[in-house]
Amino acid sequence: MSIEIAAALFGVACVYLATRQNIWSWPVGIVNVALYFVVFREARLYADMGLQVVYLLLSLYGWYQWLYGGPGRKTLPVSRASRTQLIIVAILGGAGAWLTGTLLMQHTDASLPYLDSALTSTSLVAQWMMTRKLLESWLVWISVDIVYVGMFIHKSLYPTAVLYAVFTVLAVLGYSQWKRAGTASVAA
């Protein structure tokens, strides 16, 4: 089995577990990002390679937050992002995309530097939102995953393109399940 296929399988497991709000999503995700670090290094997608390091750190943070980030240091419930949070993450995501894209364009042989950087920056936003169990994280993931499918097909990373198509479906499922969970926690 190739590293890319193994990474894809761990990725599907990770996202499926996240849709179910299962804490095992985080350690499975750590294996996923370690494998994808290697895949993206070989494909010269340096922004996505670096993203895996940040995902590792966010996975550790998310693991802790999901266990103890809720009221009274209990399990974190699903919630909605505030308007302020959405504005801040949009600004940070856009600035990160522009800065990273410019650096990659000027200092590396990166393939698709601005697209890679925009997807990377937006993925960071979505992942941070996921660590906080913000419902809107799934909407960001849906958008990003659709564009990633096209980029990975362009780069002939077909197993990864299929993975991101599956991620898109899982993100739709995650949004639906988290929306129900968030509504249930408000009613309780």
Side-chain angles (χ1 to χ4, degrees):
M1 176 184 314
S2 76
I3 292 175
E4 183 182 3
I5 292 171
L9 293 173
F10 274 96
V12 168
C14 171
V15 176
Y16 174 75
L17 291 168
T19 68
R20 311 292 296 167
Q21 297 185 61
N22 186 309
I23 197 67
W24 283 99
S25 169
W26 298 108
V28 169
I30 290 169
V31 174
N32 171 255
V33 300
L35 294 171
Y36 263 114
F37 181 89
V38 175
V39 171
F40 291 138
R41 184 186 67 216
E42 291 174 3
R44 294 186 357 251
L45 292 170
Y46 303 128
D48 278 303
M49 182 184 80
L51 177 62
Q52 303 313 301
V53 175
V54 178
Y55 277 160
L56 171 68
L57 298 173
L58 285 172
S59 292
L60 295 170
Y61 174 74
W63 196 350
Y64 177 83
Q65 285 298 313
W66 279 29
L67 285 172
Y68 306 110
R73 296 189 39 81
K74 294 194 182 338
T75 304
L76 186 66
V78 172
S79 63
R80 304 280 321 233
S82 70
R83 178 183 297 259
T84 302
Q85 286 173 317
L86 294 173
I87 290 169
I88 290 170
V89 296
I91 291 169
L92 291 174
W98 175 81
L99 178 63
T100 306
T102 300
L103 290 171
L104 290 177
M105 179 70 129
Q106 294 175 355
H107 301 290
T108 74
D109 63 343
S111 177
L112 309 171
Y114 284 101
L115 178 59
D116 187 24
S117 296
L119 292 171
T120 297
S121 185
T122 306
S123 294
L124 284 172
V125 164
Q127 187 69 9
W128 177 83
M129 293 172 76
M130 178 79 61
T131 69
R132 302 299 308 146
K133 279 196 179 176
L134 297 174
L135 175 64
E136 293 81 2
S137 65
W138 290 112
L139 299 175
V140 178
W141 279 126
I142 292 166
S143 303
V144 168
D145 291 343
I146 290 169
V147 178
Y148 263 128
V149 168
M151 184 180 80
F152 291 136
I153 289 170
H154 174 76
K155 293 298 294 177
S156 299
L157 295 171
Y158 301 114
T160 303
V162 170
L163 169 66
Y164 276 74
V166 171
F167 281 169
T168 304
V169 172
L170 288 172
V172 171
L173 176 67
Y175 178 79
S176 175
Q177 290 185 358
W178 280 29
K179 187 173 183 181
R180 279 195 305 273
T183 303
S185 69
V186 170

